[in-house]
Amino acid sequence: MENNSSETPPSEPMQSLSISPEPSSQISLDERFESIRSIGEECIQEDELKRLLANKPQPICYDGFEPSGRMHIAQGVMKAINVNKLTSAGCKVKIWIADWFAQLNNKMGGDLKKIQVIGQYLIEIWKAVGMNLEGGQVEFLWSSEEINTRAHEYWPLVMDIARRNKLPRILRCCQIMGRSEQDELSAAQIFYPCMQCADIFFLKADICQLGMDQRKVNVLAREYCDDIKRKNKPIILSHHMLPGLQEGQEKMSKSDPSSSIYMEDEEAEVNVKIKKAFCPPKVVEKNPCLEYIKYIIFPWFNEFKVERNADNGGDKTFKNFEELVSDYESGELHPGDLKPALAKAINQILQPVRDHFKNDPKAKELVKRVKSYKVTR
């Protein structure tokens, strides 16, 4: 499989993220820490992160994903925001394109060629949306290629992790695959957590920057350090999981189009999905529209603009999420005004992606193929 890390972003200008401040050499240690820490809903451990930043000029941060279908905005926009924060704070980010893992987990029916096409499509999206890929601070690595190249390093590590852990401990990590301990698992899926744990050491990661749903295997990696008497443990930075758009959906689902907004959705599709989204008046808790504003719109624009007629209070620009929450809880801000503003902001972010997939022949063919694939679990 060709390594895409050398590919350059499309030539057309892309909208830059608002969270790309000065290079790390121009910001203080405390500012670097605060920027990186803001990515995580949880950090294990903060004192270790501070020590790492003080002692290592360019920490290595690992992020991985299974190519398993079309990309939604949590994986597309949020990842771009987080990666740009990490590189701006001086980190090198290794993005692990886990094609072999997707095959182990029976994604795309275990068809590795389809899985690798999806991997290429995902890289195209991150280039288009504004992930900062210049300067070599972000590296895309295909698991199949890297493992085959350095098999003598990888497999003894996997075997040692498997040897040191009992089966119930490994089964508790099945959440990382979107599975539960009660699911009927294949032998491949039982082996998967041992491999993902090994990835962290194989890639020489100082920081594991993954979702909250991946924390169990990251904790397993820290426990493995205790087993082998290794002092420097990987720091776990677990980001928030965006919910689905419908009531009670704790996580976006690729198999349910109404649950999520895809990165190449047309403007009209975004408008309809947001219009139908769960957004009860005056209720902030478990309100997906407010979560989108908190985790996508404010980090991107540093503000949220609401256009409304004078009878409803007139136009207003919120400068922080707390201000918006206050208005929403009081009823000053109504879902009927919030939703169109949210849809407009999301469409503004996604327009460069749409343009890229419309104008670039390679990207156009990739998305056509990906849309034709049937998603499997």
Side-chain angles (χ1 to χ4, degrees):
M1 185 79 193
E2 184 182 340
N3 191 315
N4 288 270
S5 60
S6 61
E7 291 184 3
T8 54
S11 57
E12 58 264 40
M14 294 295 173
Q15 180 181 343
S16 61
L17 302 187
S18 63
I19 45 73
S20 299
E22 313 90 50
S24 61
S25 59
Q26 297 177 23
I27 59 177
S28 69
L29 180 61
D30 286 344
E31 287 172 322
R32 290 174 67 204
F33 170 80
E34 290 300 330
S35 180
I36 293 173
R37 179 62 186 89
S38 71
I39 292 169
E41 188 167 287
E42 176 186 65
C43 177
I44 307 175
Q45 300 280 351
E46 288 187 354
D47 59 329
E48 293 176 23
L49 177 58
K50 287 178 181 176
R51 192 159 57 245
L52 172 69
L53 295 174
N55 295 320
K56 189 168 184 178
Q58 190 180 51
I60 294 172
C61 181
Y62 148 75
D63 189 355
F65 66 95
E66 280 186 9
S68 58
R70 293 174 68 192
M71 183 188 281
H72 50 56
I73 60 173
Q75 193 181 24
V77 180
M78 272 187 71
K79 194 182 292 288
I81 289 169
N82 291 343
V83 167
N84 286 7
K85 281 186 177 182
L86 288 163
T87 55
S88 294
C91 294
K92 181 179 179 69
V93 180
K94 293 183 177 182
I95 298 182
W96 191 236
I97 310 172
D99 51 354
W100 262 7
F101 291 77
Q103 187 178 35
L104 281 172
N105 205 10
N106 200 39
K107 298 298 172 69
M108 294 295 118
D111 187 326
L112 190 61
K113 287 185 178 179
K114 288 182 178 179
I115 290 165
Q116 290 173 338
V117 167
I118 294 168
Q120 293 173 330
Y121 146 86
L122 299 179
I123 291 170
E124 287 297 311
I125 287 181
W126 284 319
K127 291 195 304 186
V129 80
M131 185 181 284
N132 183 11
L133 303 179
E134 296 179 8
Q137 283 181 279
V138 178
E139 189 175 13
F140 294 106
L141 301 168
W142 296 83
S143 68
S144 55
E145 183 179 291
E146 295 299 315
I147 291 169
N148 278 333
T149 302
R150 293 161 53 203
H152 61 289
E153 292 178 46
Y154 188 79
W155 292 115
L157 186 54
V158 174
M159 290 166 64
D160 194 48
I161 291 166
R163 188 176 61 84
R164 291 173 184 271
N165 285 280
K166 300 287 188 286
L167 187 56
R169 179 68 185 89
I170 298 302
L171 287 172
R172 288 200 296 275
C173 292
C174 289
Q175 180 190 9
I176 66 173
M177 299 176 284
R179 314 284 172 176
S180 76
E181 294 175 58
Q182 284 72 45
D183 287 353
E184 187 176 347
L185 301 171
S186 68
Q189 288 165 331
I190 292 171
F191 206 49
Y192 186 120
C194 298
M195 290 174 63
Q196 185 168 326
C197 182
D199 294 343
I200 296 164
F201 303 100
F202 183 66
L203 296 172
K204 298 178 170 58
D206 301 299
I207 301 169
C208 301
Q209 203 288 286
L210 299 160
M212 286 294 291
D213 61 338
Q214 304 292 303
R215 71 184 298 281
K216 287 184 179 179
V217 79
N218 293 331
V219 170
L220 181 71
R222 288 179 64 89
E223 292 172 354
Y224 178 66
C225 290
D226 291 331
D227 292 338
I228 62 173
K229 306 294 189 288
R230 171 176 161 153
K231 282 187 176 181
N232 292 331
K233 299 178 181 181
I235 293 153
I236 305 171
L237 199 64
S238 304
H239 66 72
H240 179 74
M241 304 294 293
L242 271 187
L245 288 170
Q246 304 307 312
E247 184 177 4
Q249 293 180 329
E250 291 186 4
K251 185 181 174 183
M252 286 186 184
S253 170
K254 290 180 183 174
S255 58
D256 178 5
S258 70
S259 160
S260 59
I261 291 168
Y262 297 114
M263 290 296 292
E264 73 287 339
D265 271 351
E266 294 296 336
E267 183 176 346
E269 291 176 289
V270 172
N271 292 342
V272 169
K273 287 180 180 181
I274 294 297
K275 188 175 182 179
K276 292 181 177 179
F278 180 64
C279 189
K282 300 184 181 181
V283 178
V284 173
E285 195 75 18
K286 296 185 178 179
N287 185 323
C289 289
L290 292 185
E291 292 220 13
Y292 277 40
I293 294 167
K294 180 179 181 179
Y295 291 100
I296 291 181
I297 306 306
F298 272 111
W300 192 283
F301 295 107
N302 288 321
E303 62 183 24
F304 179 59
K305 294 180 180 179
V306 175
E307 296 175 0
R308 55 190 176 182
N309 60 46
D311 293 343
N312 293 333
D315 296 352
K316 184 167 183 177
T317 299
F318 296 93
K319 293 299 184 182
N320 57 66
F321 185 67
E322 292 72 26
E323 183 186 3
L324 183 142
V325 165
S326 176
D327 272 21
Y328 194 79
E329 283 183 323
S330 71
E332 286 286 317
L333 177 60
H334 190 270
D337 293 315
L338 180 142
K339 283 185 172 186
L342 172 58
K344 183 176 181 179
I346 290 173
N347 277 319
Q348 193 174 336
I349 295 170
L350 297 186
Q351 193 55 48
V353 180
R354 295 185 194 118
D355 293 343
H356 180 58
F357 279 89
K358 186 188 298 180
N359 300 325
D360 186 284
K362 175 188 171 184
K364 195 173 186 177
E365 178 61 25
L366 280 172
V367 76
K368 182 181 174 183
R369 291 173 69 180
V370 170
K371 284 182 176 179
S372 73
Y373 296 159
K374 182 181 178 182
V375 175
T376 62
R377 286 196 80 247

